[in-house]
Amino acid sequence: MSGLLAPIGRAFLDALAALGRLALFAGTAIGHMGRPPFYPRLIARQMIEIGYFSLPVVALTTLFSGMVLALQSYTGFARFSAESAVATVVVLSMTRELAPVLAGLMVAGRVGAAMAAEIGTMRVTEQIDALTVLSTDPYKYLVVPRLIAGATMLPLLVLVGDIIGVFGGYLVSVYKLDFNAAGYLRRTWDYLEMIDVVSGLVKAGAFGFLVALTGCYHGYHSKGGAQGVGQATTNAVVSASILILVFNYIITEMFFAK
Amino acid sequence: MSAPKIQLTGVKKAFGEQIVLDGVDYALPAGESLVVIGGSGSGKSVLLKCILGILKPDAGSIRIDGVETAGARGEAREAVLKKIGMLFQGSALFDSLPVWENVAFRLIQGQGMERKEAKEVALGKLAQVGLGPPVAELYPAELSGGMQKRVALARAIASDPEIIFFDEPTTGLDPIMADVINDLVVASVKKLGATTISITHDMASARKIATKIAMIYGGKFIWTGDAKNIDRSGNAHVDQFIHGRAEGPIQMAVRRP
Ligand SMILES: Nc1ncnc2c1ncn2[C@@H]1O[C@H](COP(=O)(O)OP(=O)(O)O)[C@@H](O)[C@H]1O
Ligand SMILES: [Mg+2]
């Protein structure tokens, strides 16, 4: 019996230890945020990399999610004649859940992986050591700009995603399901509250931070050449995705639990 | 005799079970060029990284200009790093920055020099290693290995350091380019009057650069002396190494057929 349980226990302890190391890394990085030198150029470059270049993927995923949401809830709700709730379901699901989670996962795949690969390559080719020797702190130069850019740009992406997702639902409802256009839009607005949007943006900020954090962490600690960098990239995406889903629950609970 | 520029006393470093440095002792006077020779994996790079503070030695003392640097942090560490230039084994150029920004990196980021002024200095240093202004705008990935080494050399000497470390400056280059790099190293060191530690397992390079030679084996300096005495060391390990023989006291961990 213990032979079966031991590996599970070990995996659990390993995961806890990894979480602890990640938290320490985050703490060190945050400690460096407040102290100069600052690198506005690098922050701007990361913002463009994360915000601007992720727009197409986020737009596509949220557009199709909004569309499928309208279709699914229409056919589902028709069973108890509640088709009129489609607009509300679409806007609440998009703003509270789908836009932040989908954008977070997409950005984890796109940006988190790239960060891990770039910083990992810098580690195994001694570029990080070279930074130190040239009197530049790698946390301030590499990690802090990415964390700031991640935490600020993902909310912007999600705001755009919210709008595009609602628009996707509108397209399907009006052009395929023959809803009245003005009525659909009114229903979208009527039941929408500030907290729905705000909670989604808070999630986005947290997810952006987590994606950048895991990307930097795994890159920074990668070792052993190309294979190590590949491993770091995989680990970054997997751990970012898991953390996003866990924190999604935690933040939802903070906002909406009674 | 004045105090040594760099003094190592009982420097030890292990990674887990593996003991890499097992008590290195050496005193290097100012203005001398020490070349450390030794097989691959004998801990030469680890030694340099300990002196730089990139790795923390497990025991022992490292003094630069009489100031203890092992475990130095914050401003004390900054003060040490300011004096040192380093050419990394794989060049370690920043591939996201053009060549001139690589060379000017410390001037811009570390010393807060204006970009324009720093670029002037960088172009001067690049000229010193035989690279013209068109190269300055390229990215490291667009350069050959020999050119990358030259850029790395220009970066190492950009802030006119008092101490320079060269980690295998000629490894991976053809013999002619290797000799060009050797000449550049010698010329730059002379110009700056710097104290240097170089690592190599290329004996031609060692003879050219060194005023002092130390051989590292089993985590210790097993022979040290003036470069001119290397052929009369009377040490079987050194003789085997400089003549590149498979037979001798140094046994490589390979299975014989
Ligand atoms: N950061 C590290 N972690 C674990 N082992 C290391 C590390 N750096 C070097 N080593 C080990 O130390 C030994 C000496 O390495 P190194 O100093 O790079 O050799 P060389 O003399 O060829 O420069 C090698 O066996 C290497 O595997
Ligand atoms: Mg080495």
Side-chain angles (χ1 to χ4, degrees):
Chain A
M1 193 62 199
S2 76
L4 280 175
L5 289 179
I8 301 174
R10 204 172 302 126
F12 182 69
L13 290 179
D14 284 349
L16 277 187
L19 210 57
R21 283 194 297 269
L22 189 66
L24 276 180
F25 185 84
T28 311
I30 290 171
H32 279 285
M33 265 183 201
R35 281 175 278 142
F38 307 110
Y39 298 99
R41 239 171 214 279
L42 297 179
I43 297 174
R45 189 200 282 184
Q46 291 302 324
M47 284 182 159
I48 292 170
E49 184 60 43
I50 298 174
Y52 184 69
F53 290 111
S54 301
L55 263 178
V57 259
V58 171
L60 274 176
T61 39
T62 47
L63 177 71
F64 280 98
S65 309
M67 286 165 64
V68 81
L69 208 54
L71 206 54
Q72 287 278 25
S73 43
Y74 178 79
T75 51
F77 289 4
R79 292 180 191 163
F80 44 95
S81 320
E83 298 94 326
S84 58
V86 168
T88 311
V89 169
V90 168
V91 71
L92 290 194
S93 318
M94 283 315 298
T95 53
R96 284 181 172 203
E97 276 297 316
L98 288 177
V101 170
L102 290 174
L105 293 177
M106 286 294 150
V107 170
R110 219 196 128 257
V111 178
M115 282 181 186
E118 186 179 357
I119 297 181
T121 304
M122 292 186 73
R123 163 63 71 200
V124 301
T125 57
E126 298 185 312
Q127 291 179 53
I128 293 185
D129 291 339
L131 272 182
T132 312
V133 173
L134 294 169
S135 309
T136 301
D137 192 299
Y139 276 92
K140 289 197 173 76
Y141 189 81
L142 295 174
V143 180
V144 167
R146 285 170 171 78
L147 292 180
I148 293 176
T152 52
M153 292 319 279
L154 208 62
L156 282 182
L157 278 173
V158 164
L159 203 57
V160 175
D162 285 346
I163 295 165
I164 294 177
V166 168
F167 178 66
Y170 170 89
L171 283 183
V172 168
S173 304
V174 171
Y175 292 101
K176 191 168 169 60
L177 306 174
D178 291 329
F179 275 70
N180 172 280
Y184 185 90
L185 285 180
R186 187 164 32 76
R187 283 189 164 275
T188 298
W189 279 116
D190 276 355
Y191 294 99
L192 183 66
E193 287 176 23
M194 197 60 171
I195 194 172
D196 300 321
V197 178
V198 169
S199 68
L201 297 184
V202 169
K203 284 181 178 181
F207 298 169
F209 183 85
L210 286 172
V211 166
L213 180 69
T214 51
C216 292
Y217 172 82
H218 288 286
Y220 198 84
H221 294 288
S222 64
K223 44 177 166 283
Q227 198 197 352
V229 175
Q231 189 67 48
T233 311
T234 311
N235 289 345
V237 176
V238 171
S239 53
S241 307
I242 294 173
L243 285 174
I244 284 175
L245 296 175
V246 172
F247 273 79
N248 183 41
Y249 180 80
I250 296 174
I251 298 173
T252 307
E253 168 114 12
M254 272 165 35
F255 271 96
F256 297 109
K258 291 270 150 49
Chain B
M1 205 185 120
S2 61
K5 189 81 177 165
I6 301 174
Q7 177 146 32
L8 310 174
T9 320
V11 176
K12 294 190 182 189
K13 179 73 190 172
F15 296 104
E17 299 278 280
Q18 183 195 9
I19 295 166
V20 178
L21 300 178
D22 193 16
V24 174
D25 299 298
Y26 196 75
L28 181 64
E32 299 282 349
S33 290
L34 171 69
V35 166
V36 179
I37 57 174
S40 300
S42 56
K44 305 184 297 293
S45 298
V46 169
L47 179 64
L48 286 191
K49 286 180 184 171
C50 284
I51 302 176
L52 284 166
I54 295 171
L55 291 173
K56 197 175 169 300
D58 301 331
S61 135
I62 297 168
R63 286 171 181 273
I64 293 180
D65 289 327
V67 179
E68 181 64 48
T69 65
R73 304 185 62 195
E75 302 213 339
R77 171 122 197 267
E78 269 312 298
V80 173
L81 287 174
K82 268 207 185 88
K83 297 181 183 178
I84 307 179
M86 164 97 185
L87 188 152
F88 282 86
Q89 192 166 346
S91 294
L93 298 174
F94 304 125
D95 39 31
S96 60
L97 299 177
V99 163
W100 77 264
E101 268 196 80
N102 264 282
V103 177
F105 194 87
R106 172 179 254 155
L107 305 175
I108 297 173
Q109 308 296 354
Q111 304 178 2
M113 193 187 277
E114 284 299 318
R115 291 173 69 81
K116 227 175 138 198
E117 193 188 344
K119 187 166 185 178
E120 287 302 312
V121 177
L123 288 176
K125 296 290 175 184
L126 284 168
Q128 210 176 313
V129 297
L131 297 174
V135 177
E137 305 299 333
L138 298 178
Y139 283 82
E142 300 169 302
L143 306 180
S144 69
M147 283 162 99
Q148 288 183 357
K149 287 274 176 175
R150 292 199 210 192
V151 175
L153 176 59
R155 183 174 72 178
I157 61 174
S159 58
D160 298 335
E162 299 167 27
I163 298 169
I164 316 176
F165 296 153
F166 301 99
D167 194 348
E168 304 202 6
T170 60
T171 302
L173 301 179
D174 68 75
I176 299 171
M177 182 52 76
D179 206 46
V180 170
I181 297 283
N182 285 335
D183 287 339
L184 287 173
V185 166
V186 172
S188 324
V189 171
K190 204 166 189 181
K191 188 154 186 262
L192 291 172
T195 310
T196 70
I197 301 181
S198 315
I199 282 173
T200 189
H201 33 225
D202 167 8
M203 280 316 294
S205 178
R207 285 172 206 279
K208 200 144 194 175
I209 299 174
T211 62
K212 305 265 183 197
I213 292 183
M215 165 125 188
I216 187 170
Y217 181 74
K220 292 190 171 74
F221 280 181
I222 54 161
W223 184 84
T224 60
D226 287 336
K228 57 184 187 293
N229 294 334
I230 186 74
D231 293 309
R232 284 170 270 130
S233 66
N235 183 302
H237 291 81
V238 175
D239 281 341
Q240 186 192 348
F241 189 86
I242 64 177
H243 295 114
R245 288 191 288 255
E247 271 75 45
I250 307 173
Q251 289 302 320
M252 291 287 165
V254 290
R255 219 182 286 263
R256 307 240 168 223

